[in-house]
Amino acid sequence: MRRTTTAVLVTVLLTAGSVAGVTAIVPGAAPLEDARQGQPACDYQSLFDETAGSVVSIRTSSGQSSGFVYEVENGTDTNATDDTYVVTNAHVVSGAAEVEVEFEGSEFRSGSVVGHSTYADLAVVSVSDPPAGTGALSLADTDPQRGERVAALGNPFGLDETISHGIVSGLNRTLPTRLGFEIPNVVQTDAPISPGNSGGPLVNCDGDVVGVNTAGIARQGAENIGFAVSPSVVERVVPELLDDGEFDYPYIGVRTTPVTPTIADGNDLDRTTGLAVVSVLEDGPSAGALQGPTEVETVGDRLVPTDWDLILAIDGQQLRSGEALGTYLVTETRPGDTVDLTVLRDGDVQRVQITVGERPDPVGA
């Protein structure tokens, strides 16, 4: 059994989502070895040939986008059929129960959405009678590294069988969405990701999925800034979608901000590490256990909140950013787990235990 990967709706980002279909495009050729970086050559032509058969087009009433074969289960008796599971973005299926899936060679099949997670922007589609020889892509064991060569496959603007290449530009990004929440642990790449690429795989030179293409920045002056859901999030979320049809998304119900020098000055802190608690959700998991600011001080010409909890670590792991907190919760915890927070409060380091909750559905989802 082999597994694979997927990849949202963004405020300042253009969703690489659904568009009307057009035709095919010729994949790019392989570059020469780059001796300056000391990396072996990435043969993009061979990479396309090896992976394109596992990339699909997904069509709904609102348009066309991408996906990839994540798992193939073979029937165990003569009357059984193969069950193929395709991963895509939740925003691609957009609440649909049934979709059309186009495999290589323009072979169409009906697909059923077996589960989706709005917060992770991942969905799984089941196809009961895939074309003969359909194979799954492998999900990378670890998240990629900055500078690693990658290729994005999919159907941008309906141009099927398209490959674009680049590198991993950044890791552990947080992707804001139009629904007001953020997707943690997102991979940034300069491989072009356009509308219609959503749900397609971002693969490394070995053909392993290192991201699920999700969105590209649609802002004047932005060039080749795209995002993909990381393999660690896919590995955490997709198996639960397969088993239960849903993913219980963990959260602790706080908003935080990194401790800047200004915040440190206003709160008489000798450190700029950790996360200051901006607010605590009423009746949320952290209500009564953590506190936001209660006073305001003037630092220079700025008003700085004071007397708030500063989260230094979770389960012994130091926190340097809100991205780190979000990534830890989604990849390492489940609702009902207890996490141990190291908190600086009123100048004293304390331990605070929080029972992780299940994040309620976003308004408008």
Side-chain angles (χ1 to χ4, degrees):
M1 182 183 300
R2 293 193 296 172
R3 296 192 177 270
T4 323
T5 330
T6 357
V8 121
L9 315 173
V10 195
T11 10
V12 297
L13 305 180
L14 171 65
T15 299
S18 304
V19 293
V22 196
T23 54
I25 193 167
V26 178
L32 297 176
E33 180 175 358
D34 188 347
R36 292 172 302 173
Q37 296 185 17
Q39 296 186 34
C42 193
D43 186 341
Y44 292 107
Q45 183 173 359
S46 296
L47 182 62
F48 176 84
D49 292 340
E50 294 169 1
T51 57
S54 299
V55 181
V56 303
S57 173
I58 295 179
R59 300 168 189 256
T60 68
S61 59
S62 58
Q64 174 185 354
S65 200
S66 306
F68 62 91
V69 179
Y70 171 85
E71 184 176 291
V72 175
E73 293 183 352
N74 296 320
T76 56
D77 59 66
T78 55
N79 295 320
T81 58
D82 294 344
D83 289 320
T84 291
Y85 296 101
V86 169
V87 165
T88 186
N89 289 137
H91 77 262
V92 168
V93 298
S94 191
E98 302 291 330
V99 299
E100 287 184 343
V101 181
E102 182 183 4
F103 290 85
E104 188 179 34
S106 298
E107 294 199 50
F108 284 87
R109 298 291 190 272
S110 296
S112 300
V113 179
V114 298
H116 75 279
S117 170
T118 301
Y119 285 120
D121 197 29
L122 294 173
V124 176
V125 175
S126 173
V127 178
S128 60
D129 57 341
T134 297
L137 295 179
S138 297
L139 185 66
D141 294 332
T142 60
D143 289 348
Q145 299 297 311
R146 290 178 180 86
E148 184 175 347
R149 290 190 181 94
V150 290
L153 296 117
N155 310 290
F157 295 104
L159 297 166
D160 62 316
E161 298 186 347
T162 294
I163 180 173
S164 58
H165 71 88
I167 63 170
V168 172
S169 306
L171 298 172
N172 202 20
R173 304 302 195 205
T174 294
L175 189 61
T177 71
R178 291 175 182 167
L179 295 177
F181 63 88
E182 297 177 337
I183 301 174
N185 199 27
V186 173
V187 176
Q188 179 187 339
T189 179
D190 67 350
I193 296 177
S194 303
N197 269 125
S198 267
L202 184 72
V203 299
N204 61 21
C205 295
D206 294 325
D208 296 329
V209 177
V210 295
V212 179
N213 303 326
T214 298
I217 286 185
R219 198 160 53 195
Q220 186 174 4
E223 294 185 10
N224 294 350
I225 302 178
F227 300 94
V229 179
S230 68
S232 57
V233 172
V234 174
E235 182 62 28
R236 178 69 179 84
V237 174
V238 169
E240 288 199 18
L241 297 182
L242 282 169
D243 292 339
D244 303 324
E246 60 184 9
F247 175 71
D248 297 332
Y249 201 96
Y251 87 131
I252 60 173
V254 297
R255 289 178 54 237
T256 63
T257 188
V259 177
T260 63
T262 301
I263 290 177
D265 288 344
N267 289 268
D268 296 325
L269 301 175
D270 60 358
R271 67 185 76 198
T272 55
T273 58
L275 303 174
V277 177
V278 175
S279 63
V280 180
L281 180 66
E282 185 178 357
D283 298 326
S286 298
L290 295 176
Q291 66 181 34
T294 58
E295 302 289 340
V296 175
E297 294 285 343
T298 301
V299 178
D301 59 351
R302 301 179 63 181
L303 295 177
V304 179
T306 62
D307 299 326
W308 46 4
D309 284 344
L310 177 65
I311 304 175
L312 303 177
I314 181 169
D315 290 338
Q317 295 195 20
Q318 187 174 7
L319 294 175
R320 298 183 180 275
S321 65
E323 288 85 354
L325 175 60
T327 295
Y328 184 88
L329 288 172
V330 74
T331 60
E332 302 294 337
T333 73
R334 301 173 185 271
D337 289 350
T338 299
V339 294
D340 188 55
L341 301 181
T342 304
V343 175
L344 182 64
R345 178 183 297 168
D346 297 328
D348 297 324
V349 176
Q350 305 180 22
R351 294 290 181 88
V352 176
Q353 289 192 330
I354 305 290
T355 299
V356 178
E358 179 183 349
R359 196 168 191 173
D361 293 335
V363 177

